[in-house]
Structure formats: C-alpha cells, structure tokens
Amino acid sequence: MHCLSPKMVCETKIIADEHSIPGTKKDSIIVSASQMWTSSSSSPNSVEENLKKDTVFIREYELTDHEDVRRIFYDGIMERIPNTAFRGLKQQTKMQILYTCITIMCFVVTKSVALTCCTPVLLMGARYYFSKKVIHSFLDCALHTDMSDIEQYYMKPAGSCFWVAVLEGKVVGIVAAQGNEEDNTVELRRMSVDSRYRGKGIAKTLGRKVLEFAMLNNYSAIVLGTTAVKLAAHKLYESLGFKHMGVTEEYTLPGMSHSFVERMFFQLRYHRYRLQLHEE
C-alpha cells in the first residue's frame, strides 16, 4: 500500500453535513445551519462575526498543542471512572445478581437492617475505588507512551496522523489515525472532545477526518475499539457508518492485577467496530 505523507493530506476543509465526504482544501470548518440561512436583513459584518465565532477548524497536531491535547485526553478518560463503576453495572447482569445475593446474605447472617442497607453503598464504593485504580493505571500507561510523544507515534510514520479541533483559538477536540500495513487498515484512536464544547458536531467531524484520511491513503477499512459505556459514543460510530463487529466481556486493561477482588468490582466490555471502505 502506498501511503501519502500526513503533511500532504491532514489539512483539508470539511463543511459538516450528514452525507458528503469533504473535498481537499486547507482547513476544516463546521458551519451551523443558522449561519447558512441568514436573513437578508443581517449585516455582512454580523454574519461574518457569527461565522467566525462558531467555526471549528480541524488541523494537524502541532507541538504547541501538547498540553491541551493531554488535558482533553486525561479529562475524557477520567469520565470513565463513574461511568464504569455505576452505569456499567446496568450491563452486568451477573454482578447485579451477585451483589443482590451478598446483600441478602448480610441480612441473613447479621439480622441487622442498618448493616444490610449499608451493604449496597459499600459495594458501590468498592466499584468506584477499583474503577479509579485501574483507569489511573491505564492513564499512566497512555501518558507515558503514545500520548507523551505524538510526533513520534502519529506524525512521523507514513499512514498515520493526529488532528486537533480548534474553536475560538482553543483546542477543543482530538483524534488520531494509526495505519496498519499488514491488513491495510487504519485505526481510529484517542478521539475526545472537551466536555464544555460537546453537542456541536465536533466529534462527528473528527471522525469524518479519519474517514477522509483513510480514503486518501487507500486503506481498505477503518477499525476502532472502545470500552465506552455511554450509548451516545456507540451511536456516534454507527452514524459514521461503522458496524459493530462484536464485544469482549471482562476486557483487560494495562495495569489490572487480575485478582478475584478486582474482577468482582471492575469489569469492562470491549466493543469492536469496522467501517469497510473497499474490498481487497
């Protein structure tokens, strides 16, 4: 596979709509519907100011973005702690049954209503503790590998790239593409949007950027894996055209000890997605 240099393909212009793949230009831009359908009475200056205010540019990562990129990545992963500890339990029927049995056994053994009522709280506290412990270990690993040297991992290798979304001069979103020549696929990685700027279509536009990159570099498919608990993340991937390929129960993250107690209070489901661009 012949891969174009990231410097040749990373700066393109995207007008965000629901169906088209953007053409190749210099910067990426999202234009809201309100800007496109401006009344004739609006002054040109006010239209231009509104357009500039709501415009999101997608560009290549630069060294000066390092701290902002690490902050957005860190904050996004830290959100997984309560999501995994509490929301994740809804998807874990076996754990629900186990915790219910423990609570009932507590009442049978102690005959204490107060202690029995405290048991679910203690169980949830244990889930939060182990979720925090494991995710902190994962963060430490990521921040000392690819997220510590983005130039080396994503910008220098042909067939890989890293982009940032910029709004009002601030970096508000990130995404990476890492090529795999063995199976001619590219992996969508490290997608995250600053929580203060969500709901503006930034994540979808970052995803389309990876799609455009994959097509320009003639990859056959885009793959991704996620442990996200929120349904919104999965809907985003599906809206981009990805198909759910399967799920791995009790997925192992770096830093996990595999102890019985840890497995009792921390579980992850790893979802695999694939977007086929063309057949080999």
Side-chain angles (χ1 to χ4, degrees), residues 3-272:
C3 292
L4 299 176
S5 166
K7 301 293 182 184
M8 297 174 62
V9 300
C10 286
E11 293 189 3
T12 57
K13 189 173 185 179
I14 302 173
I15 301 296
D17 65 55
E18 292 299 322
H19 305 291
S20 62
I21 301 299
T24 301
K25 296 183 182 176
K26 187 173 181 181
D27 295 303
S28 283
I29 174 175
I30 302 175
V31 182
S32 69
S34 61
Q35 295 162 350
M36 296 176 65
W37 299 99
T38 307
S39 65
S40 58
S41 61
S42 300
S43 67
N45 289 338
S46 64
V47 173
E48 185 176 348
E49 288 175 3
N50 289 334
L51 181 62
K52 186 175 180 180
K53 182 178 179 181
D54 295 336
T55 297
V56 176
F57 293 95
I58 309 297
R59 62 166 173 77
E60 284 185 11
Y61 167 84
E62 299 172 356
L63 289 176
T64 54
D65 301 325
H66 186 67
E67 290 303 318
D68 288 328
V69 166
R70 284 170 63 94
R71 172 185 55 79
I72 292 172
F73 174 72
Y74 179 89
D75 291 346
I77 295 298
M78 287 295 288
E79 291 178 8
R80 302 285 181 90
I81 295 175
N83 288 337
T84 303
F86 307 131
R87 288 192 183 192
L89 184 58
K90 296 179 180 179
Q91 303 170 355
Q92 299 163 9
T93 306
K94 292 181 180 179
M95 289 298 105
Q96 293 177 28
I97 295 172
L98 176 61
Y99 296 163
T100 301
C101 290
I102 291 174
T103 303
I104 293 172
M105 286 298 296
C106 178
F107 179 74
V108 171
V109 173
T110 66
K111 301 294 194 272
S112 170
V113 175
L115 186 57
T116 302
C117 290
C118 289
T119 301
V121 177
L122 294 173
L123 291 170
M124 291 302 101
R127 284 184 65 88
Y128 185 86
Y129 168 80
F130 281 100
S131 180
K132 183 177 180 180
K133 176 178 177 290
V134 173
I135 289 175
H136 269 288
S137 295
F138 168 75
L139 265 173
D140 184 65
C141 178
L143 292 174
H144 285 85
T145 52
D146 64 308
M147 295 304 290
S148 69
D149 193 348
I150 292 170
E151 282 280 336
Q152 183 66 35
Y153 275 84
Y154 297 109
M155 302 307 294
K156 290 182 179 179
S160 297
C161 198
F162 196 104
W163 299 271
V164 298
V166 180
L167 176 63
E168 298 177 357
K170 301 175 183 177
V171 175
V172 298
I174 60 174
V175 73
Q178 189 170 47
N180 184 351
E181 291 191 359
E182 291 184 4
D183 59 2
N184 195 30
T185 64
V186 63
E187 182 181 4
L188 186 155
R189 308 191 73 207
R190 305 310 192 202
M191 181 188 284
S192 187
V193 175
D194 190 315
S195 60
R196 296 169 295 179
Y197 298 93
R198 291 174 187 167
K200 298 178 181 291
I202 297 172
K204 181 174 282 190
T205 304
L206 286 167
R208 286 175 177 159
K209 186 63 171 177
V210 176
L211 173 57
E212 177 196 7
F213 177 80
M215 295 177 70
L216 287 171
N217 281 280
N218 201 32
Y219 283 108
S220 61
I222 308 172
V223 298
L224 68 87
T226 181
T227 58
V229 175
K230 287 185 176 180
L231 184 61
H234 299 275
K235 287 185 175 180
L236 169 65
Y237 303 137
E238 291 170 359
S239 72
L240 288 167
F242 285 87
K243 291 185 178 180
H244 190 258
M245 304 303 293
V247 60
T248 301
E249 302 288 347
E250 299 183 12
Y251 181 71
T252 301
L253 283 178
M256 292 182 67
S257 66
H258 307 289
S259 68
F260 171 77
V261 176
E262 184 181 81
R263 292 199 305 271
M264 182 175 171
F265 294 108
F266 182 84
Q267 305 85 25
L268 278 178
R269 305 177 81 204
Y270 183 78
H271 298 266
R272 300 182 303 278

